[in-house]
Amino acid sequence: MAEIPVLISRDEVKGLLKYSDLVSHLEVALAKFSKRNAEEVIQPLRTILPLERYNGFLGVMPAYMVQENILATKMVSFYQRDEGSDFPAHQATVLLLDPQRGNVTAVMDGTVITEKRTAAVSAISTKFLRPPHAEVLCILGSGSQALSHYEILTQMFSFKEIRLWSRRKEKAKMFSSKVKGPVTVCSSVKNAAEGADVIITVTMAKEPVLQGQWVKPGAHIVAVGACRPDWRELDDDLMREAVVYVDSREAASSESGDVILSGAVVFAELGEVINGSKPAHSERTTVFKSLGMGIQDAVSAKLVFDQWKSQQ
């Protein structure tokens, strides 16, 4: 008889999942994924179910890491909310399974996992692709992803100045009240981005918000929003001039409007940089287009479950 799955709440996940563990484990997973070895990672392109009636989508993201024997799937909903809505744009649940028997061993909140693993991968890209002596961080957006990116980037790197822009001033003020360090709230994207060494775009934009003419030569841009083939955060000039890195070529060619609509050529996957098969052109302007992958959720869920077991 199968055991009853463990239920791990949002607050528990938040306390159990540490950035220090995530970064090292995700680097290994990304490097293995980019080797294209079916004996290492099995991960299909995510399935997306449109919910047009409610202006939303449901995504299903299964993945199996063979050597680590980690099997998991995430179900994530994401919606274009009306301005002022109290409902979150993203909600997720992760199922961790026993690969041998196929039964679910744990059901856990996936929203915190999504926020933290996405930010951790962005930090990994910044580790390899940021310009030397990066001092100014710019964050475009003020939601939960903006907060998780602030947390890990200020832990891993020493920025002298942090700028924030948000469409809604009240959300920008809320963001600055939640963080420990000083944040300059800017009145425009242009003011926030000009001269920044690292720019993080975590918006729900459908049209480009960041223009190449505002970007300092040699800056590193991490584009996290715009996860549909007809959505954009970055304009054509930026995408065509920058060296473009992605988490998955297959996903970028199917899901990223920034890549598809600009006609930009993808230079490498981040995993290829980690495993040494492609160079990190940190001396040039770089874009890392993040779409998120099932193996990132699987690795995160296993870390959460192992930590939970150690405390029982």
Side-chain angles (χ1 to χ4, degrees):
M1 183 176 178
E3 296 181 1
I4 298 174
V6 171
L7 299 178
I8 305 178
S9 69
R10 176 185 177 92
D11 288 342
E12 288 177 301
V13 172
K14 194 170 185 178
L16 294 169
L17 190 58
K18 307 297 183 183
Y19 284 125
S20 55
D21 296 327
L22 260 179
V23 169
S24 58
H25 284 80
L26 287 174
E27 283 194 19
V28 171
L30 290 166
K32 286 188 174 184
F33 171 80
S34 291
K35 288 181 180 178
R36 292 299 184 275
N37 186 343
E39 294 182 358
E40 296 278 1
V41 174
I42 301 173
Q43 177 189 273
L45 192 65
R46 89 182 99 207
T47 298
I48 298 292
L49 175 68
L51 302 167
E52 295 181 4
R53 180 178 180 181
Y54 302 106
N55 207 16
F57 300 85
L58 174 67
V60 181
M61 303 168 63
Y64 179 42
M65 291 194 70
V66 180
Q67 299 297 323
E68 292 80 359
N69 208 30
I70 304 173
L71 176 64
T73 189
K74 183 172 77 175
M75 295 175 290
V76 55
S77 62
F78 51 103
Y79 288 76
Q80 289 280 310
R81 302 294 190 191
D82 294 333
E83 187 168 333
S85 172
D86 293 329
F87 289 105
H90 297 79
Q91 299 178 82
T93 300
V94 177
L95 307 181
L96 188 66
L97 298 94
D98 181 334
Q100 182 178 1
R101 299 177 181 178
N103 60 294
V104 177
T105 57
V107 179
M108 63 188 74
D109 176 86
T111 305
V112 172
I113 285 177
T114 303
E115 292 166 4
K116 287 195 170 187
R117 63 81 155 150
T118 304
V121 173
S122 296
I124 293 168
S125 82
T126 304
K127 171 184 170 181
F128 286 96
L129 300 172
R130 76 188 189 282
H133 314 297
E135 296 183 343
V136 180
L137 170 65
C138 165
I139 300 175
L140 305 179
S142 57
S144 57
Q145 282 285 5
L147 188 59
S148 62
H149 279 74
Y150 173 92
E151 289 173 348
I152 190 169
L153 289 168
T154 54
Q155 285 181 27
M156 288 183 59
F157 310 104
S158 298
F159 293 104
K160 293 184 178 179
E161 182 183 359
I162 300 171
R163 304 173 188 165
L164 177 76
W165 171 86
S166 176
R167 292 185 189 275
R168 297 169 58 187
K169 291 182 179 179
E170 65 274 17
K171 288 201 70 176
K173 291 179 180 178
M174 287 177 59
F175 178 98
S176 59
S177 69
K178 291 179 181 178
V179 300
K180 295 180 180 179
V183 174
T184 301
V185 177
C186 299
S187 59
S188 69
V189 175
K190 181 175 182 290
N191 289 341
E194 284 187 331
D197 300 295
V198 177
I199 303 172
I200 311 294
T201 61
V202 280
T203 73
M204 291 296 289
K206 290 187 176 181
E207 301 293 335
V209 294
L210 181 62
Q211 297 184 22
Q213 62 180 328
W214 301 333
V215 175
K216 172 183 177 180
H220 176 51
I221 298 92
V222 181
V224 177
C227 58
R228 300 299 300 142
D230 55 346
W231 296 0
R232 301 284 301 271
E233 285 188 310
L234 315 181
D235 75 351
D236 287 349
D237 289 342
L238 178 52
M239 288 300 298
R240 291 171 183 170
E241 292 298 322
V243 183
V244 178
Y245 298 81
V246 296
D247 45 15
S248 162
R249 279 191 175 87
E250 181 185 20
S253 66
S254 300
E255 299 177 344
S256 171
D258 284 319
V259 171
I260 296 167
L261 299 178
S262 69
V265 176
V266 172
F267 174 73
E269 291 178 344
L270 181 56
E272 292 175 308
V273 175
I274 296 168
N275 66 36
S277 59
K278 286 292 182 74
H281 285 297
S282 58
E283 78 284 357
R284 296 177 58 184
T285 304
T286 54
V287 166
F288 172 60
K289 178 56 201 173
S290 171
L291 286 162
M293 299 193 294
I295 58 164
Q296 299 167 7
D297 301 306
V299 167
S300 303
K302 185 62 163 55
L303 285 171
V304 169
F305 187 57
D306 288 348
Q307 284 293 316
W308 179 87
K309 286 195 299 183
S310 72
Q311 295 182 10
Q312 300 309 300

